[in-house]
Structure formats: C-alpha cells, structure tokens
Amino acid sequence: MFSSAVSSSLLILHKPLARVIRFPIPKLPLSPNPRPLSSLSPAASALTPNAVGAGGRAGALSPAPITEDLQKIDVNPPKGTRDFPPEDMRLRNWLFYHFREVSRLFGFEEVDFPVLESEALYIRKAGEEIRDQLYCFEDRGNRRVALRPELTPSLARLVIQKGKSLSLPLKWFAVGQCWRYERMTRGRRREHYQWNMDIIGVPEVTAEAELISSIVTFFKRLGITASDVGFKVSSRKVLQEVLRHYSIPEALFGKVCIIIDKIEKIPVDDIKSELKSAGVSEEAIEQLLQVLSIKSLTKLEEILGDAGEAVADLKQLFSLAEKFGYSEWIQFDASIVRGLAYYTGIVFEGFDRGGKLRAICGGGRYDRLLSTFGGDDIPASGFGFGDAVIVELLKEKGLLPELSLQVENIVCALDPGLQGAAATVATILRGKGQSVDLVLENKPLKWVFKRAARINANRLILVGDSEWQRGMVGVKILSSGEQHEIKLDELE
Amino acid sequence: MFSSAVSSSLLILHKPLARVIRFPIPKLPLSPNPRPLSSLSPAASALTPNAVGAGGRAGALSPAPITEDLQKIDVNPPKGTRDFPPEDMRLRNWLFYHFREVSRLFGFEEVDFPVLESEALYIRKAGEEIRDQLYCFEDRGNRRVALRPELTPSLARLVIQKGKSLSLPLKWFAVGQCWRYERMTRGRRREHYQWNMDIIGVPEVTAEAELISSIVTFFKRLGITASDVGFKVSSRKVLQEVLRHYSIPEALFGKVCIIIDKIEKIPVDDIKSELKSAGVSEEAIEQLLQVLSIKSLTKLEEILGDAGEAVADLKQLFSLAEKFGYSEWIQFDASIVRGLAYYTGIVFEGFDRGGKLRAICGGGRYDRLLSTFGGDDIPASGFGFGDAVIVELLKEKGLLPELSLQVENIVCALDPGLQGAAATVATILRGKGQSVDLVLENKPLKWVFKRAARINANRLILVGDSEWQRGMVGVKILSSGEQHEIKLDELE
C-alpha cells in the first residue's frame, strides 16, 4: 500500500556494491520535511502521556500492521491465572522478600525445581485432592508431564539424585509456582506461589519445632499476632496407633488420612461410608472419629498411654515451642491430618482464628517419601505456605503494606538538543548507584512534575542550555522545593 | 505387619469419650525403653551427616512405606529442564539480582505474566522459529494453551487490557521462565529465564539508546568489557525501504525478516530459494543480500539516501550512544534483523566478540504489535536477555563468581537436655536480624565444627550447662579462634 509512493529515480552506485541501488526517500504529504536527526520534534512532544494508541510514529513511512491478520485476542490471562502489573508485583516481591529473609535467618539455602515435571512424580494411590486436580498433559514427545502441584516430590527426587554427595541435614527452602486444574468454583485460582522450607536428615521433633518457629517469625514480621493466627498440631502416629489397634493394614494408612482430612468439608456420614469402603470396620471408624475430636494432649495421653511415639513427639514439640517462644501460637487438635498421603509424624496447619479463611499453611514429617520413589528413606519434615490466603488475611487485618514505586531522580533535558546531555547526566548518577528515570521525549515541565510525583522522585535534575555550557545542572529537591545548581562532577 | 505386636489389654474409659479405648504401647524388642521426652538420644546422635538412608527413626513403631507401590522414578528433571540445587540457585539469584538492580537504576518497574498462556498469543504467520518450537498442548478444558516462549506478547496483552489507566511511558521489566519445545540437539534446553526490559509509549530512538545503556551497565557490573562483547545494530526500516522499492507487499515484510534472520545458520542458496517462494523477485533478492552485507552507516547512507527514517534513526542512536558513554560497544551491521516478526525499527543483538557463543541478548522496536492483537498501537521497544549464554560467557572469561552459603551463627547445645535452651538462643539472635543455623540433634563437637566450616559461620555459640545456669553462653569467633562467654541479654 505504500509502494506507489516510492520514487523511481534510482541511481546506480559505483563501488563497492556495484548493483546496490540508491533510494531517495520521497516527500510525502504527511511528512513534508526530512526528519531531523534529533527526533525530539514538536510533533512527538505533543503526545499526551495517556494517549494510548496515539503514539505511533507519525511519518508516512510507518509500516502497516506487520504481517498478521488482525485478530482480537482475549486480553485477560488464562482462566485461573494472574498477571502481575507493577502494583501486584510489588506486593508479590514484598511477600517473597519476607519468605526469603526468614529463610535466611534460619540458615536455609534456596533451591528450585522445574515447574514441569514427569506426571509419575505425583501419581500416588491415596486419592488425594492434589492428584485429582493435577494439571497434566501429554507433551509433543508423548511424555506424560504435569505442571507441579507442589514442591515436595521434586525435592525428594533431587535428594535421591544427589545421594551421598549431600551433607545432612539439608535445610532447603523454595518459593515456586504450583498448579492445579480445578473447576473454577469458589474463586480459587489454578496457580499459586508457595514458600516451602524443608529439613532433610533430622529425625527429631526439633525439626518440626524449628519449622513452626520460622513461620511464626514470618507472621510477626508482617504484624500478625497469636490472636490473629494459630497452629493446630497433631501427629499421624495418633491415627496409626488407633488403626494398628484394629489391625487395619499399614497400606491403608495414607488413604484413611486423606478421607479424614475432608472431615470439615463433607458430611460425617460421607466420611464414614468412605472409610467403610476403604475397608475400615465400623468399630474402628467410631473409634477414629472419637479420637479425632480430642483437643487436649492430656486426654490423648489418657487414651493412647504415655509410652507411644505420638504422645511423646507431641509433648516434646509443645515443650520446645515454649523455649522457642511461640507457645501461645500452637494447640493440639487431633482432627488435623493434612491432605497429603506422605506424612508420617507431626502434622500442623496455620489457621485464621477469625474462622473466615482456609488453612494459611501446613506441613509435617514425611520420613517415608523417598522410598516411595525407590530411594533410601531419610527423615524429613517441611511445610508449604501459599501466597493467596495470607494476602486475604493481611487485607482482613488491615496489614497490607502500601508499596509504591520510588525512583530517586528524574532527569530531564529542557531542550530537545540536550537529550544527549541528559543521557550523560543519567549515566553519571546511575554509575553512583542512584536510580534515574530519564525523560526520553521532549515534554513540557508540567508533565515532568506530574511524572516526578507519580514515581515519588526525590530530585528533579534539569539539563538546561546555559547551565550545561558551564558544566552545571539544575537540581530541585522535590520534597522542599529547594533548588540549586550543581557541578556535573559534584553530582552524587 | 505391626498389628500383632499390639497388646490386647484394653481399658474402657468412663468419660467423656466413653467408647474411646486405651492402647498401652507394647514394649518391642528394638525399642525396649519408653522414648524419652527429649529425643536427643545417643542413638540419634550416632547418625553420621552423610549417611543417606541411615537416618530413619529407629523405633519399631516406624510405619512401613506409606501406601504406595514401590516405583523407581527417574531422578533426573524432565529432558531439557533444570533443577536448581543450592549452588546453582546461588548463581541464578546472583544473576537475577543484577538484572533487578540494573532495572532499578534505570527506574523500571517489575511485572510478570502467567507462564501458561493461550496459544493464540503466539500464532503468527511469519514462520518464526519460536512458533515452530511452541510448547503447546490442550488442557483438560480443551483449551489450546502454551508455556510462554517469550514475554513480549503477554506484556502487549496486559497493556491492551489496562488501556487508558496506564500513564505512558511505561518502563517495565520482567525476569521470567520461557519455554520452547526443541529437538534436544546442540545441548540446548527447553526452558530458560529471560530478563526483559520494555519501554512503552516512546516513539523516539532515545528508548532504544536507553535500553542498550542498561544492558551495557549490566555487563560492566559483571566485569564484562567492550572487548568481550559488542552490539550489532540495524533497523528493520533498512529492509523495508529496499522491499518498498521493489513494490514487495508490506504483508510479506515479517516473513522476509524471518528468512533473512537465518542467514548465518543456513546456506545462502537456501535463503534465496526461501525468499523466492515467499514471492520476492530475484532482482530484489540480490539487492537485499547486497544491502545486508553493509557494515558502515556511511555506506548505508550512500545507498538509501539521507532522508529516510532508517538512516536517521541509526544516526541518532549512534549519537546518543556517545553521550551515554557506550560508543565502543556498538557497531552498525545491516545483517541483523532478529528472528521475531513484530520488530518494526531499530534491532540490536549482543554478541560475543570471541565468536564462540550464540547471541547473548537481542531486542528492538515493535511499534505495531498491539494492533496485531486487536488493540490500538503504542510505540514500544524492548529486549530479551537469557540466562544461558551469559553464564557460558562468564565461564569463558573467568568471571563466574564464587558464591557460597554464609550463615552468621551456628548454635549448638552441648547436652541433649539443653536443646530448648539452644532454641531460645537462636530465637534471640534471629530477633536481632542474625542468621542462625541451629543444630537440631545431639552431635559431637567435631561434627559441629565441620558444619560450621561448610556454612561459613562467623561464630559458634555453645550452650553448656554451667554457663546456662549463669545466664551465659560460650561464643567462639571462628576466624580467630577467640573464645569468650557472653550474657544472654548482651548477645547481638
């Protein structure tokens, strides 16, 4: 469509590109003058900052939309996923900063794994919700793969792979995106980020106590108190001791836990019939449900005796909690079993005392996970802490921080011809570690002040002709309005 | 398998759980004594740190592997993907830190998008390599989705979605994982992380000059110089002016660029025949190839004349480069077109002057991308900078940093009964912002020193009985061997 405008007066060049042809650019109605070298032309500066769609280069030589058919795409992210525009990214970064900072305080090392894993890593037989919601598919090489629903299986895989080269205990943390394919009811998303901390190689309950301490430290940093949030703690060994008493096969254990985990979500009669079809006798079911209602360690001890590991572990954990200084955050609750099949000992769950929100985080001991992958077992415990419920809680409590963009300097040329000089000033300041928003077009001062306010700049550096000739720039402190000239080499 | 060991002497409880049964725990051969409340037993401390698989809790009540059939999983990450064990994660974090720090210096705001996008976002007709390698599949809701191969289309989508609420110009950066499904030749991976910086709303070449300045700043921070790396710069408008001269339809432009981008990878005769089948005349092909061989702006000007945008843009860019202070990093090279269909103006590519590595980064102006998605166009430019080639370059130049774990303190109880006291000490130190590796088991001092060395601890804090009774702990400065007692409330 533009080719008809091209002049046909071609000049053959002599050398070295003998056959290359010279194309004088035609003067077209919309662009009557040759474009000046400096493109800070009045036409460009007339662009208002919010004029979305008005900003295309005005010259007639602008190409048509490249090569594609026009298609109207869906401008929303895929169902259940999120964009992170700057304001949301600031919140995410703030949250992740605290995840990382707490992990650092506890001496943990960061790790990560592929977001895409082999599906086999998640195929467990206990009928967990997490498996039903696996975001899995076949790749172009016909491999069954899945977007990871959790981080622990990848961690176990890596630990087996590294084998004896690892110095135990490992204290590892990760902040990674996890996926589930869920019917989009209840406004739940299909992806979330999860902070995990894991201790590999410590059989003692000290590990679980340390992990809960790190979550408490995290809550405190955010302004969340023990009256906002608590931890319900139990042990899978409680159920185990009951099941063993009724001679229920060990192989059923994971499945029973998964059924019981649904106790607050589905009617108790459904729980009973699920347990029955899993092969648990009616007597055992009644017993289980009774034990699950216990909220006191003393009562648990009355029932299970004091010689078993369940009670001993829990007693030790509560004793350590006192020494760590978070007794008021935790309580025994036998109904907590957690929805993952691989837990073997202590399990815990952070909950909103207001009762409005789902579990905030959860974890426990999983001493037998590695052998389910064919590795040698190593005692392990860990937790997962998602980025969704915590944000709801912070909103609820008025604890969401106000995070705004902050750029230290805004640098602006007062004359289109000084754009290069402004670039020099920006480079000097950046070299000294100062952040600079360089105004890239010729804009009226009013616009520059508006932008300075939007980016919360401390200083406005103005590059004007007469100052520049004297090696100076104008500096305006935006909080006070104070204004002075500074020599370029004294700019800090 | 353990149920036969359970005693049958059951006691019916009276209240309140009338039907709950008391289970005295049997004394089994392997665990003859009731487990002590403190589990820092000698048996546990006998674990050597490297004894992978030897760490299972020794008591006979340990359950069998949970509920799964034993399966040997592949312990490697899926083909073409990576795990990030701590040492690799430290390098990734170091690299990302510099990406983010440079972006901050330039006043850019961080954003992110879903790693899983609608496939439609990437279906362009120019036959780009990136489309052929799309990691796409059908999800469980029969939607065509893809793991993002690049970040720019998502950015364009978000910009259209936000529309007039945005204050232009936007200066956005992102560090995100991108995917391609490639035959695994040449040891290339299927995922990499990419740093993107984009300026939306600036039609001037100042934007491209600023972007290249930020990459130069990044290189310099890492110790990379202009003799290691350079930028080849051209403009899509060079080709456009040639094509227009030959009345080649605008719609072919993207396709021609994609073909030409392969010029260093496939024989020139193949390029010619591809161009021919795309509908470019033989004369135009010869002309194109001639122009592409130009490495001097003066020569380009001789051929294209001085009135066109291609020459004017490039001249302005080189003039700005001088003011920004990176002239020695850039050179004109007409053969650079970049392999993405959407570029419309300046294009650039960071290359290894040693000639061993693929392009390190690349970018350019894409003023017409938004309209291909049905939005109104906004002038835009940006670059992508992957995490793979840069690491190879750093290796090559001996510039890879030595990054090691560093935990400020290691805290250790000298007696199993003092594990709680050690927890108290750790909590105090962490409350003061000090990182602490708390030894969670009863370990010999030799082991503790070894661990202290591995984590590069500055101080070893020993919690011993006699000191603890006086409210003191032992502190050993590990670099000097200096040792003293400090009051608990004076510990900092």
Side-chain angles (χ1 to χ4, degrees):
Chain A
M1 57 190 281
F2 289 101
S3 56
S4 64
V6 174
S7 161
S8 60
S9 68
L10 306 174
L11 295 174
I12 305 296
L13 278 180
H14 33 291
K15 55 177 174 175
L17 300 165
R19 300 183 48 224
V20 170
I21 293 160
R22 186 180 166 92
F23 315 131
I25 298 301
K27 294 189 170 30
L28 297 175
L30 283 171
S31 178
N33 301 311
R35 201 159 150 283
L37 251 186
S38 162
S39 56
L40 291 166
S41 61
S45 70
L47 272 174
T48 61
N50 281 309
V52 173
R57 199 165 276 192
L61 288 174
S62 297
I66 331 177
T67 59
E68 320 305 327
D69 288 343
L70 244 130
Q71 51 170 334
K72 182 77 185 175
I73 57 142
D74 183 354
V75 295
N76 296 304
K79 214 170 178 180
T81 70
R82 287 171 290 177
D83 286 318
F84 290 90
E87 58 279 14
D88 296 347
M89 195 67 195
R90 280 195 289 272
L91 182 62
R92 173 174 137 185
N93 278 339
W94 172 83
L95 203 64
F96 287 13
Y97 167 75
H98 287 288
F99 289 157
R100 294 199 162 95
E101 199 45 23
V102 169
S103 305
R104 186 190 68 79
L105 287 174
F106 281 72
F108 280 58
E109 299 185 86
E110 190 166 359
V111 293
D112 197 8
F113 320 99
V115 73
L116 194 71
E117 284 273 14
S118 160
E119 189 189 52
L121 210 53
Y122 309 108
I123 298 303
R124 296 185 290 257
K125 300 197 174 139
E128 299 155 288
E129 192 182 41
I130 213 164
R131 181 183 164 182
D132 297 338
Q133 297 176 351
L134 202 56
Y135 210 129
C136 52
F137 56 92
E138 203 162 277
D139 77 8
R140 290 165 65 175
N142 301 321
R143 281 176 207 85
R144 294 296 308 172
V145 289
L147 290 168
R148 63 185 176 195
E150 53 164 340
L151 302 174
T152 314
S154 301
L155 179 141
R157 180 181 58 62
L158 182 57
V159 168
I160 297 170
Q161 181 206 117
K162 292 272 175 185
K164 295 201 193 302
S165 72
L166 295 170
S167 293
L168 299 183
L170 306 174
K171 297 179 183 177
W172 281 359
F173 81 97
V175 181
Q177 198 171 23
C178 299
W179 295 77
R180 61 181 161 208
Y181 193 91
E182 193 180 15
R183 295 265 165 106
M184 293 301 296
T185 52
R186 291 179 294 169
R188 292 180 79 171
R189 286 197 309 263
R190 288 186 176 153
E191 54 78 19
H192 74 299
Y193 282 88
Q194 205 177 86
W195 172 37
N196 274 219
M197 287 178 80
D198 292 90
I199 299 176
I200 318 291
V202 176
E204 310 298 329
V205 177
T206 44
E208 290 94 313
E210 172 92 333
L211 291 169
I212 296 174
S213 177
S214 66
I215 308 178
V216 169
T217 303
F218 175 81
F219 282 139
K220 284 180 171 174
R221 290 174 74 93
L222 268 51
I224 294 167
T225 68
S227 57
D228 300 322
V229 158
F231 291 87
K232 292 177 183 168
V233 180
S234 184
S235 171
R236 285 269 172 106
K237 290 174 187 168
V238 172
L239 288 182
Q240 221 164 35
E241 290 175 18
V242 177
L243 293 179
R244 200 172 298 147
H245 173 73
Y246 285 99
S247 306
I248 293 162
E250 291 285 334
L252 266 182
F253 180 62
K255 201 165 204 166
V256 168
C257 290
I258 299 312
I259 297 169
I260 285 171
D261 182 57
K262 292 183 265 185
I263 206 153
E264 293 195 340
K265 298 175 197 162
I266 65 173
V268 72
D269 285 344
D270 294 359
I271 297 283
K272 284 181 187 174
S273 66
E274 279 196 43
L275 286 170
K276 210 174 163 186
S277 17
V280 184
S281 71
E282 272 185 47
E283 193 192 4
I285 290 171
E286 285 305 319
Q287 196 59 51
L288 271 174
L289 294 177
Q290 289 275 23
V291 170
L292 289 172
S293 71
I294 300 173
K295 309 269 186 229
S296 137
L297 208 46
T298 319
K299 264 181 208 141
L300 185 76
E301 195 172 350
E302 282 174 18
I303 291 156
L304 297 184
D306 59 3
E309 284 192 353
V311 170
D313 284 359
L314 286 162
K315 275 185 167 175
Q316 195 196 352
L317 183 67
F318 279 85
S319 159
L320 283 166
E322 208 174 295
K323 306 292 185 177
F324 271 108
Y326 60 81
S327 284
E328 54 175 351
W329 295 73
I330 69 166
Q331 62 198 58
F332 172 71
D333 187 329
S335 72
I336 295 302
V337 294
R338 301 296 299 157
L340 292 165
Y342 49 66
Y343 289 125
T344 53
I346 295 286
V347 279
F348 56 89
E349 188 172 295
F351 72 101
D352 160 34
R353 291 200 198 269
K356 290 187 191 166
L357 306 172
R358 284 171 291 132
I360 303 165
C361 59
R365 176 162 291 279
Y366 54 95
D367 285 349
R368 302 288 163 183
L369 180 58
L370 270 58
S371 62
T372 67
F373 293 147
D376 292 327
D377 276 323
I378 307 179
S381 47
F383 68 81
F385 190 117
D387 70 339
V389 184
I390 182 66
V391 169
E392 288 175 55
L393 181 75
L394 290 167
K395 267 183 209 159
E396 191 96 20
K397 304 287 174 191
L399 292 170
L400 268 189
E402 278 190 39
L403 303 164
S404 54
L405 171 63
Q406 189 136 27
V407 185
E408 290 156 307
N409 306 275
I410 180 163
V411 171
C412 179
L414 289 174
D415 184 284
L418 288 169
Q419 191 62 49
T424 304
V425 172
T427 300
I428 290 170
L429 282 167
R430 288 163 179 162
K432 291 179 176 169
Q434 292 267 324
S435 59
V436 174
D437 182 44
L438 176 60
V439 178
L440 298 166
E441 300 160 89
N442 188 27
K443 293 285 192 187
L445 267 179
K446 195 180 156 193
W447 183 94
V448 176
F449 276 104
K450 208 173 141 192
R451 181 157 179 103
R454 202 187 76 76
I455 67 173
N456 295 295
N458 302 326
R459 295 194 298 185
L460 166 62
I461 318 276
L462 291 169
V463 185
D465 201 34
S466 68
E467 294 90 346
W468 187 249
Q469 285 180 15
R470 288 180 284 118
M472 315 278 279
V473 291
V475 173
K476 194 182 176 80
I477 307 299
L478 290 162
S479 56
S480 63
E482 189 194 332
Q483 203 164 344
H484 49 280
E485 289 185 6
I486 295 187
K487 270 196 188 159
L488 203 57
D489 50 17
E490 285 167 8
L491 205 56
E492 303 230 304
Chain B
M1 60 190 280
F2 290 100
S3 57
S4 63
V6 175
S7 160
S8 60
S9 67
L10 306 174
L11 295 174
I12 304 296
L13 277 180
H14 33 292
K15 55 175 171 169
L17 298 164
R19 301 184 50 222
V20 169
I21 294 160
R22 185 180 165 91
F23 314 132
I25 298 300
K27 293 190 171 27
L28 297 175
L30 282 172
S31 178
N33 300 313
R35 199 158 153 284
L37 252 187
S38 161
S39 56
L40 289 168
S41 62
S45 71
L47 272 175
T48 61
N50 281 310
V52 172
R57 198 165 278 193
L61 289 174
S62 296
I66 331 176
T67 59
E68 320 305 330
D69 287 344
L70 244 131
Q71 51 170 335
K72 183 78 186 173
I73 57 143
D74 184 353
V75 296
N76 296 305
K79 216 170 176 179
T81 70
R82 288 170 288 177
D83 287 317
F84 290 89
E87 58 279 15
D88 296 347
M89 195 67 194
R90 279 195 290 272
L91 182 63
R92 172 174 139 186
N93 278 340
W94 173 82
L95 203 64
F96 287 13
Y97 167 75
H98 287 289
F99 288 157
R100 293 199 162 96
E101 197 49 20
V102 169
S103 305
R104 186 190 68 77
L105 287 175
F106 280 72
F108 281 59
E109 299 184 84
E110 189 166 1
V111 294
D112 197 7
F113 322 99
V115 72
L116 193 72
E117 284 272 15
S118 160
E119 189 190 51
L121 209 53
Y122 309 108
I123 298 301
R124 296 185 292 256
K125 299 197 173 139
E128 298 155 289
E129 193 182 42
I130 213 165
R131 183 186 161 177
D132 297 338
Q133 297 177 349
L134 202 57
Y135 210 128
C136 53
F137 55 92
E138 202 163 276
D139 77 8
R140 290 165 65 175
N142 302 320
R143 280 177 209 85
R144 294 295 309 171
V145 289
L147 290 169
R148 62 184 176 196
E150 52 163 340
L151 302 174
T152 313
S154 300
L155 179 141
R157 181 181 57 62
L158 182 57
V159 169
I160 297 171
Q161 182 206 116
K162 291 271 174 185
K164 294 199 192 306
S165 72
L166 295 170
S167 294
L168 298 184
L170 306 173
K171 296 179 181 177
W172 282 359
F173 81 96
V175 181
Q177 198 172 23
C178 298
W179 294 77
R180 60 181 162 211
Y181 194 91
E182 194 179 14
R183 294 263 166 105
M184 294 302 296
T185 52
R186 292 179 295 167
R188 293 180 79 172
R189 286 196 309 262
R190 288 187 175 153
E191 53 78 21
H192 74 299
Y193 282 88
Q194 205 177 85
W195 171 38
N196 274 218
M197 287 177 81
D198 292 272
I199 298 176
I200 318 291
V202 175
E204 309 299 329
V205 177
T206 44
E208 291 93 315
E210 172 92 334
L211 292 169
I212 296 174
S213 178
S214 66
I215 307 177
V216 169
T217 304
F218 175 81
F219 282 139
K220 284 181 171 173
R221 291 175 72 95
L222 268 52
I224 294 167
T225 69
S227 56
D228 300 322
V229 158
F231 292 87
K232 291 177 184 167
V233 181
S234 184
S235 170
R236 285 271 172 105
K237 290 174 186 167
V238 171
L239 288 182
Q240 222 163 35
E241 290 175 18
V242 177
L243 293 178
R244 201 171 296 148
H245 172 74
Y246 286 99
S247 305
I248 293 162
E250 292 284 334
L252 267 182
F253 180 61
K255 201 163 203 168
V256 168
C257 290
I258 300 312
I259 296 168
I260 284 170
D261 182 57
K262 293 182 263 186
I263 205 153
E264 292 195 340
K265 298 177 197 161
I266 64 174
V268 72
D269 285 344
D270 294 358
I271 298 283
K272 284 180 185 173
S273 66
E274 280 196 42
L275 286 170
K276 209 174 164 186
S277 19
V280 185
S281 71
E282 272 185 45
E283 192 192 5
I285 291 170
E286 285 306 319
Q287 195 60 51
L288 270 174
L289 295 177
Q290 289 275 21
V291 170
L292 289 172
S293 70
I294 301 173
K295 310 268 186 229
S296 137
L297 206 46
T298 319
K299 263 179 212 147
L300 186 75
E301 194 171 351
E302 282 172 18
I303 292 156
L304 297 183
D306 59 3
E309 285 192 352
V311 170
D313 284 359
L314 287 162
K315 276 185 166 175
Q316 195 197 351
L317 183 67
F318 280 85
S319 160
L320 282 166
E322 209 174 294
K323 307 292 185 177
F324 272 107
Y326 60 81
S327 285
E328 55 176 349
W329 294 73
I330 70 168
Q331 62 197 57
F332 172 71
D333 187 330
S335 72
I336 294 303
V337 294
R338 301 295 299 156
L340 293 165
Y342 50 66
Y343 288 126
T344 54
I346 295 286
V347 279
F348 56 88
E349 189 172 293
F351 72 101
D352 160 35
R353 291 199 198 268
K356 290 188 190 164
L357 306 173
R358 284 173 290 132
I360 303 165
C361 58
R365 176 161 291 279
Y366 54 95
D367 285 350
R368 302 290 163 182
L369 180 58
L370 270 59
S371 63
T372 67
F373 294 147
D376 292 327
D377 276 324
I378 308 179
S381 46
F383 68 81
F385 190 118
D387 70 341
V389 184
I390 182 67
V391 169
E392 288 175 56
L393 181 75
L394 290 168
K395 266 183 210 160
E396 191 94 20
K397 304 289 173 190
L399 291 170
L400 268 190
E402 279 190 37
L403 304 164
S404 54
L405 171 62
Q406 188 138 26
V407 185
E408 289 155 309
N409 306 276
I410 181 164
V411 171
C412 178
L414 289 173
D415 184 287
L418 288 170
Q419 191 61 50
T424 304
V425 173
T427 300
I428 289 171
L429 282 168
R430 288 163 180 163
K432 292 179 176 169
Q434 292 267 326
S435 59
V436 175
D437 183 43
L438 176 60
V439 178
L440 298 166
E441 300 160 89
N442 190 26
K443 292 285 191 186
L445 266 181
K446 196 180 156 193
W447 183 95
V448 176
F449 277 105
K450 209 173 142 194
R451 181 156 180 101
R454 203 187 74 76
I455 67 173
N456 294 295
N458 302 326
R459 295 194 297 186
L460 166 61
I461 318 276
L462 291 169
V463 184
D465 202 34
S466 68
E467 294 89 347
W468 189 248
Q469 285 180 16
R470 288 180 283 118
M472 315 278 279
V473 290
V475 173
K476 193 181 176 79
I477 308 299
L478 290 161
S479 57
S480 62
E482 189 194 332
Q483 202 164 345
H484 49 279
E485 289 185 5
I486 294 188
K487 271 194 188 159
L488 203 57
D489 51 17
E490 285 167 7
L491 205 57
E492 302 230 305

